[in-house]
Amino acid sequence: MRKLAAGNWKMNGGRAALDEVAALCAAHPAPECEMLLCPPATLIAQMAWAARGKALKIGGQDCHPAVSGAHTGDISAPMLKDAGAAYVIVGHSERRTDHGETDALVRAKAGAAIAAGLIAIVCIGETEAERDAGATLAVIGAQLDGSLPEGATAATLVLAYEPVWAIGTGRTPTIAEIAEVHGFLRARLTERIGAEAAGVRLLYGGSVKPSNAAEIFAVSDVDGALVGGASLKAVDFGAIVAALAA
Ligand code: 13P
């Protein structure tokens, strides 16, 4: 399994930010892990061009479940592929919250991504109230069951565990809590897709930064990270890449 350091730029960055891509590629020409940035849609084609021939993959942050049609403002998975993307994030908690996305919609998006030849990064995670109520595993288990696309394999699916309360807050679960969830996800995935589950990358996301990356990556069944704020600067994201590759 090739571990994955993925950056989610969310709604940040313009053309000037392409300097960060050049700096990242120069500092990490051949990392011992996969390196991915998911910029806003406006930058995908340019970033893919900047990353050509480099050890950096580009991804989208969302896609529509349909291939094309009358869906103003939306972007389809084949369009992302055409723009140079290799991955797409689906079901991020900000999409689930801001746009009311359900597990069924996330599942349809993931299926569309895979059909278009993209790798789908399916995001799941509990809210703070759900964790306080002791419902974490029940919530993420249900999200996994509802969001998992048909026929997913280790080559087409990445799963990202992002506790909602840890996103952009500087707070993270304990190492034991991350280990519990990732172990649970591996087992649940094995029930669903059998032996393929062993090769599916399970990412942790939520306030990953250079100072905590190494201890998070030491947790079993953590196969990489989905990084928000700390992926915007090449020096920070590069340090996280280095921690994963170590
Ligand atoms: P932060 O790393 O900024 O907490 O964001 C995590 C995230 O949502 C990545 O998708």
Side-chain angles (χ1 to χ4, degrees):
M1 179 198 290
R2 195 159 160 78
K3 295 183 174 181
L4 175 62
N8 173 10
W9 279 18
K10 308 190 179 184
M11 199 170 71
N12 297 290
R15 282 182 294 164
L18 294 171
D19 291 350
E20 295 297 325
V21 177
L24 180 69
C25 291
H28 301 276
E32 290 290 318
C33 64
E34 211 168 348
M35 196 162 68
L36 167 71
L37 285 178
C38 300
T42 48
L43 289 180
I44 289 172
Q46 288 171 90
M47 203 180 272
W49 178 252
R52 72 198 185 285
K54 308 263 170 43
L56 174 68
K57 303 257 172 55
I58 306 303
Q61 298 176 9
D62 177 50
C63 66
H64 193 280
V67 165
S68 63
H71 303 288
T72 301
D74 278 313
I75 297 172
S76 74
M79 289 171 173
L80 293 174
K81 176 87 176 165
D82 182 60
Y87 284 79
V88 62
I89 299 167
V90 293
H92 192 281
S93 70
E94 287 150 16
R95 301 281 324 167
R96 292 178 185 261
T97 302
D98 293 356
H99 301 273
E101 294 193 1
T102 61
D103 288 336
L105 179 59
V106 173
R107 183 173 192 267
K109 290 181 173 200
I114 293 170
L118 298 171
I119 299 172
I121 302 177
V122 175
C123 301
I124 56 178
E126 83 285 1
T127 64
E128 184 157 33
E130 288 163 345
R131 177 164 281 277
D132 290 346
T136 298
L137 298 185
V139 167
I140 62 170
Q143 286 179 333
L144 174 58
D145 288 348
S147 307
L148 196 63
E150 203 66 44
T153 67
T156 59
L157 175 74
V158 173
L159 203 57
Y161 168 54
E162 298 206 305
V164 177
W165 53 273
I167 294 175
T169 59
R171 297 165 58 208
T172 57
T174 65
I175 292 304
E177 286 167 341
I178 295 173
E180 179 189 33
V181 169
H182 279 243
F184 170 82
L185 289 175
R186 185 79 68 198
R188 187 72 158 237
L189 209 46
T190 303
E191 285 171 20
R192 296 295 309 270
I193 64 172
E196 278 296 314
V200 173
R201 273 103 35 107
L202 304 183
L203 309 184
Y204 168 77
S207 297
V208 176
K209 41 189 188 268
S211 60
N212 64 14
E215 64 169 346
I216 291 171
F217 294 151
V219 177
S220 65
D221 286 313
V222 172
D223 310 310
L226 183 54
V227 184
S231 72
L232 293 168
K233 290 284 169 230
V235 61
D236 293 336
F237 191 56
I240 292 167
V241 168
L244 185 60

